[in-house]
Amino acid sequence: MKRSSLIPVERIEKAIYLIRGEKVMLDRDLAVLYHVTTAALNHAVRRNRNRFPRDFMFQLTRSELTQLNRAQIVIGSQKHRDPRFRPYAFTEQRIAMLSSVLRSKRAISVNIEIMRAFSTGRSNSGHDIP
């Protein structure tokens, strides 16, 4: 039986980056998938800080953001170019926690789709940020 997908797995896989040796997704990309603003997502995280320790979630450095922006220029995306806002990166373990703090049916469904994409073991090599 084939599962119907809320979000194409390819779309999720394109949002998985390899940063600091960890497969992560950025707050901005997650917010789009969850249909919330980045501010709302980050606010929910701040309200529940004990669920998001620093070793599973981190803010990109200016250098990492610069490298990310260069990679995005190559593929034509504009979404990560504002240097005033350094995105937060969430590992797979912390993404799983997001559905509990966002408290919506969509968040639960999106998390299931993201976990499936992470488990395929694929990530875009063009998204590696040393």
Side-chain angles (χ1 to χ4, degrees):
M1 181 171 142
K2 185 171 176 149
R3 295 185 300 251
S4 96
S5 182
L6 181 64
I7 302 165
V9 69
E10 296 82 13
R11 181 175 175 200
I12 296 170
E13 288 174 345
K14 287 180 182 179
I16 297 173
Y17 296 86
L18 185 61
I19 303 174
R20 301 181 194 176
E22 297 276 351
K23 285 172 48 170
V24 299
M25 292 183 75
L26 302 180
D27 57 0
R28 298 170 188 177
D29 295 323
L30 289 163
V32 168
L33 295 174
Y34 292 128
H35 288 179
V36 298
T37 65
T38 304
L41 184 136
N42 287 328
H43 183 69
V45 169
R46 279 191 301 276
R47 279 193 327 259
N48 296 276
R49 183 53 89 180
N50 59 330
R51 294 178 187 232
F52 299 92
R54 293 204 182 277
D55 57 334
F56 289 115
M57 178 193 116
F58 54 88
Q59 190 171 29
L60 270 60
T61 65
R62 296 227 182 271
S63 174
E64 289 166 336
L65 182 58
T66 299
Q67 291 176 311
L68 177 64
N69 288 340
R70 285 187 191 135
Q72 295 300 310
I73 289 169
V74 169
I75 62 172
S77 174
Q78 299 283 326
K79 65 184 169 187
H80 301 295
R81 291 198 183 164
D82 190 339
R84 295 175 298 161
F85 303 106
R86 294 180 296 134
Y88 285 93
F90 293 82
T91 64
E92 180 179 4
Q93 294 88 348
R94 293 309 106 183
I95 292 169
M97 194 67 70
L98 285 172
S99 65
S100 68
V101 300
L102 292 174
R103 298 187 184 124
S104 74
K105 287 183 180 182
R106 178 167 180 90
I108 293 166
S109 298
V110 167
N111 270 26
I112 291 168
E113 305 262 344
I114 291 171
M115 294 305 105
R116 287 182 178 146
F118 266 95
S119 68
T120 64
R122 297 180 290 198
S123 68
N124 289 332
S125 60
H127 283 49
D128 294 351
I129 307 297

